[in-house]
């Protein structure tokens, strides 16, 4: 029996995943070129230029002008603008964006391969099971690892900035991406469902 042609939703999903992957790869290539230009121009990169934004956290004790019944809890996310960044500062700031970009590109590559198999009428193949398991590992282990790396990069960048003795300001802390482990768990579960479907298909084909 010939497989059913893919639906419009499946085709649209495959096209969207492909477009996003191409755009991400192109932007990643541009980011690499930007770093090269920044090194050659001593910190003046294509992406950031001569003004570099750095994510920081402001202590709630530094917040003024609020109504008396408003009690801020936790640090406030702010951004500092560094004029004329050094090459080291540019490299540290670029690295915090580039590793996230790589993680996103790998996830899109797995998703695009998954959708390609669905479009070709082979959703329950062994390749899709492997893709789902790799996607699960990427979300469960890769996303926290990238955030941990980014925290160390932010800390290094903060230590390289001019001091702020009159303001209680610090580096943006470690933030565990809660949605990533949940998505990874879903990918692992879906991988087992697809593996079971592949075994059922093999049994049916063997019977026929």
């Amino acid at each position: 029996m010939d497989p059913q042609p893919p639906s419009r939703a499946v085709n649209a999903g495959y096209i969207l995943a492909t477009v996003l992957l191409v755009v991400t790869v192109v932007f990643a290539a541009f980011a690499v070129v930007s770093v090269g230009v920044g090194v050659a121009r001593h910190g003046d990169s294509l992406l950031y230029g001569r003004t570099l934004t750095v994510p920081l956290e402001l202590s709630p004790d530094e917040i003024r002008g609020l109504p008396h019944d408003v009690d801020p809890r936790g640090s406030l996310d702010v951004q500092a603008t560094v004029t004329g960044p050094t090459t080291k500062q540019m490299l540290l700031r670029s690295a915090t964006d580039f590793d996230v970009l790589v993680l996103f590109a790998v996830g899109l590559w797995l998703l695009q391969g998954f959708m390609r198999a669905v479009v070709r009428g082979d959703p329950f193949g062994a390749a899709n099971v492997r893709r789902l398991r790799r996607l699960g590992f990427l979300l469960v282990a890769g996303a926290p690892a990238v955030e941990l790396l980014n925290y160390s990069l932010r800390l290094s960048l903060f230590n390289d900035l001019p001091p702020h003795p009159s303001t209680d300001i610090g580096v943006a802390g470690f933030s565990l991406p809660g949605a990533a482990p949940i998505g990874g768990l879903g990918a692992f579960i879906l991988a087992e469902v697809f593996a079971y479907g592949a075994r059922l298909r093999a049994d049916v084909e063997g019977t026929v």
Side-chain angles (χ1 to χ4, degrees):
M1 180 182 297
D2 294 332
Q4 292 289 333
S7 64
R8 292 182 179 178
V10 171
N11 283 323
Y14 173 64
I15 294 173
L16 179 61
T18 302
V19 170
L20 288 175
L21 179 59
V22 171
V23 171
T24 303
V25 171
V26 170
F27 185 77
F30 176 73
V32 172
V33 174
S34 173
V35 169
V37 172
V39 171
R41 300 197 304 202
H42 307 289
D44 184 8
S45 65
L46 295 177
L47 280 176
Y48 303 113
R50 299 301 298 171
T51 55
L52 191 71
T53 57
V54 180
L56 299 172
E57 286 187 349
L58 182 67
S59 170
D61 297 332
E62 298 289 338
I63 302 175
R64 302 288 187 267
L66 295 176
H68 66 87
D69 56 347
V70 175
D71 184 19
R73 299 291 177 90
S75 299
L76 178 67
D77 293 334
V78 296
Q79 285 191 340
T81 301
V82 180
T83 302
T86 64
T87 301
K88 179 181 178 181
Q89 291 169 348
M90 182 275 301
L91 288 173
L92 290 171
R93 183 65 178 88
S94 298
T96 60
D97 292 334
F98 191 73
D99 54 6
V100 175
L101 195 60
V102 171
L103 185 75
F104 188 63
V106 174
L108 281 175
W109 175 67
L110 293 171
L111 180 61
Q112 193 265 356
F114 179 89
M115 295 301 299
R116 183 175 63 249
V118 174
V119 168
R120 292 177 177 176
D122 188 27
F124 293 104
N128 266 0
V129 175
R130 289 194 299 269
R131 290 185 184 104
L132 287 171
R133 287 171 178 166
R134 290 169 182 170
L135 182 61
F137 180 79
L138 187 72
L139 293 172
V140 170
V146 166
E147 173 56 23
L148 183 61
L149 174 61
N150 272 354
Y151 173 70
S152 66
L153 292 170
R154 291 195 301 268
L155 186 59
S156 298
L157 179 56
F158 175 77
N159 292 332
D160 200 67
L161 296 178
H164 299 271
S166 61
T167 306
D168 188 4
I169 196 168
V171 63
F174 177 81
S175 177
L176 183 65
I182 296 176
L185 180 60
F188 281 129
I189 294 173
L190 194 59
E192 295 309 310
V193 172
F194 272 66
Y196 180 70
R199 290 192 295 268
L200 285 180
R201 188 181 66 175
D203 290 342
V204 170
E205 291 176 350
T207 302
V208 176

